[in-house]
Amino acid sequence: QVQLVESGGGLVQPGGSLRLSCAASGMIFSMYAMGWYRQAPGKQRELVATISSGGSTNYADSVKGRFTISRDNTKNTVDLQMNSLNPEDTAVYYCNARQRILTFWGQGTQVTVSS
């Protein structure tokens, strides 16, 4: 029932920008905290940014000032605007939805930052 579908990934040069989007369905979207996580080859999955049901945001130190997470409860979407990208941002980016002990994941979208 619950589905999270990411889009917007791709190849970008260092210093460039990408905007990721996650479309949610099958749940009461406004009741979930939403987030973006990423996993690079050979590394653990890490939190990138979260936004609570009330709109409070949290960012990993590595992306503060460069990334912006936002949500639209009328469209059931959460976006991640990524600016000033560098090769360290290369990873598969996953959309996450969480409410208490319930958590759901999208399929992931590849972001590659390379010159």
Side-chain angles (χ1 to χ4, degrees):
Q1 275 278 45
V2 174
Q3 286 191 314
L4 303 174
V5 181
E6 302 97 332
S7 62
L11 175 65
V12 65
Q13 294 183 355
S17 298
L18 282 175
R19 187 176 183 90
L20 306 182
S21 183
C22 172
S25 61
M27 64 182 187
I28 304 176
F29 180 79
S30 62
M31 297 182 66
Y32 284 77
M34 303 298 297
W36 288 95
Y37 293 72
R38 67 187 182 187
Q39 186 168 24
K43 297 183 179 180
Q44 296 277 7
R45 182 186 62 194
E46 65 175 353
L47 182 147
V48 177
T50 60
I51 183 166
S52 73
S53 60
S56 178
T57 59
N58 180 59
Y59 298 91
D61 288 341
S62 60
V63 307
K64 283 183 178 178
R66 300 189 299 122
F67 291 10
T68 302
I69 189 171
S70 61
R71 68 188 296 161
D72 187 337
N73 288 348
T74 68
K75 298 180 179 179
N76 289 0
T77 59
V78 58
D79 289 1
L80 184 69
Q81 178 65 48
M82 305 186 294
N83 299 326
S84 301
L85 287 162
N86 61 65
E88 299 301 315
D89 298 314
T90 295
V92 177
Y93 284 70
Y94 296 92
C95 180
N96 171 262
R98 177 179 59 82
Q99 183 200 345
R100 296 182 67 88
I101 64 170
L102 295 176
T103 187
F104 302 97
W105 295 93
Q107 82 287 351
T109 185
Q110 177 71 50
V111 172
T112 302
V113 185
S114 176
S115 60

